[in-house]
Amino acid sequence: MPRRFGVTARFVALATVWGASFLFIKVGLEGLSPAQVALARAGFGALGLAVVLVVRRRPLPRDPVLWGHLAVVSVLLCVGPFLLFSWAEQYVPSGLASIFNATTPLLTMFFAAATLPAERLTRPRAVGLLLGFAGVLTLVGVWQGIDLTHELTAQLACLGATTCYGAAFVYLRRFVSPRGADPVTVAFGQVGFATVILGLLARAVATSPVHLSPAVVLSMLVLGVFGTGVAYAWNTAVIAAWGAANASAVTYLTPVVGVVLGVVVLNEPVHWNEPVGAVLVVLGILASHGRLRLRRRAALTAIP
């Protein structure tokens, strides 16, 4: 029981911290470029995890194969999404970005069905994917026509980021979790690799002037240390305990946190299709786990 409670507590903390991350990205963009936000996020995250490693006296893995897998994960779980979400939030509200992030479980399910025999595509999961796809189309507002504006491109960038997340969840589950590595060392490895990669790219993509303010600095610190560092250790532990698809369901709650903070702190508008699209995505996730069918049966048995 204590172990289950520990995993559940990490899951809730992840939803809260990652939901607030979109607000911190938006504030960071007030003084930094997207690439600079991504680099600061990874750098502070690696620093925070390094402190945890020292305090807990956790040794680094000696398995070179594991380090190779962590390099792949760093690109899928850090470099790609950090850059894509940071760029996208120049043109879309932080709340909308958090809603798009809710597509992660559906994309994780797609990759899991293709690569993990234990998580093959079933009828409920296929229905869930269709509902989720309808939710994405609603979020984009396809009835308005396809116009390659910055806003639409930014929305596609958000989907690109969640596609990276989905692939990363499954890759972690298949190649990293079975090795039994400590979650903190795994998180440090992937965020550390991301810091190195983004640092090497910085001379080409992070050359804009920097305008620091207390809000920008504090946002990057919290985003890095908690939203990227400590949270990634929690995430690795949840994946190992619950599996790829269930762990990615952390995005059930992140849109709620993200939208509320965007409205309350940044006065961001919310259009009708955004919550409707989010509901369709969540229904797709529920359907993929067979929960809608269970609820329907329960309702039928309650009718006299």
Side-chain angles (χ1 to χ4, degrees):
M1 184 66 69
R3 184 177 180 182
R4 288 185 178 180
F5 177 78
V7 175
T8 302
R10 291 187 183 101
F11 181 85
V12 174
L14 274 174
T16 304
V17 171
W18 279 348
S21 293
F22 299 94
L23 169 67
F24 297 137
I25 292 172
K26 180 68 81 172
V27 174
L29 289 171
E30 295 176 0
L32 303 172
S33 69
Q36 290 165 348
V37 168
L39 177 58
R41 178 180 185 178
F44 284 128
L47 181 61
L49 286 167
V51 172
V52 174
L53 284 176
V54 172
V55 171
R56 295 187 178 182
R57 298 181 180 180
R58 300 290 176 84
L60 293 176
R62 297 183 179 180
D63 184 0
V65 176
L66 176 60
W67 282 106
H69 289 313
L70 292 179
V72 175
V73 172
S74 72
V75 174
L76 293 174
L77 200 60
C78 302
V79 177
F82 290 1
L83 289 172
L84 288 169
F85 270 127
S86 297
W87 182 85
E89 285 199 42
Q90 295 178 111
Y91 307 105
V92 297
S94 63
L96 180 58
S98 71
I99 293 175
F100 270 106
N101 192 56
T103 63
T104 298
L106 296 173
L107 291 163
T108 301
M109 182 178 58
F110 173 80
F111 284 111
T115 59
L116 300 178
E119 301 187 38
R120 60 185 178 85
L121 189 64
T122 60
R123 178 176 294 182
R125 291 176 179 175
V127 172
L129 285 174
L130 290 175
L131 279 173
F133 182 68
V136 171
L137 294 180
T138 303
L139 286 171
V140 174
V142 290
W143 57 87
Q144 299 174 357
I146 301 299
D147 184 12
L148 293 178
T149 60
H150 281 307
E151 182 177 359
L152 176 60
T153 307
Q155 292 174 347
L156 294 177
C158 290
L159 287 175
T162 57
T163 300
C164 291
Y165 281 147
F169 274 113
V170 174
Y171 194 95
L172 272 169
R173 177 66 172 173
R174 182 170 184 178
F175 296 108
V176 178
S177 295
R179 295 181 174 273
D182 178 72
V184 178
T185 59
V186 168
F188 174 76
Q190 63 198 36
V191 178
F193 265 126
T195 303
V196 173
I197 294 171
L198 289 168
L200 294 174
L201 295 175
R203 293 185 177 181
V205 299
T207 57
S208 302
V210 174
H211 303 285
L212 297 180
S213 67
V216 170
V217 174
L218 182 60
S219 294
M220 292 300 95
L221 279 171
V222 176
L223 177 64
V225 174
F226 292 99
T228 306
V230 178
Y232 272 52
W234 294 337
N235 179 55
T236 304
V238 174
I239 290 176
W242 288 0
N246 289 333
S248 66
V250 67
T251 47
Y252 283 152
L253 302 177
T254 52
V256 178
V257 177
V259 170
V260 169
L261 289 177
V263 172
V264 173
V265 179
L266 301 176
N267 295 317
E268 293 179 344
V270 178
H271 304 290
W272 70 267
N273 59 304
E274 294 170 10
V276 171
V279 168
L280 287 173
V281 169
V282 172
L283 287 176
I285 299 170
L286 293 174
S288 67
H289 291 286
R291 297 178 185 177
L292 291 183
R293 181 178 58 185
L294 291 174
R295 290 180 179 179
R296 182 183 175 187
R297 286 179 178 175
L300 288 175
T301 56
I303 297 176

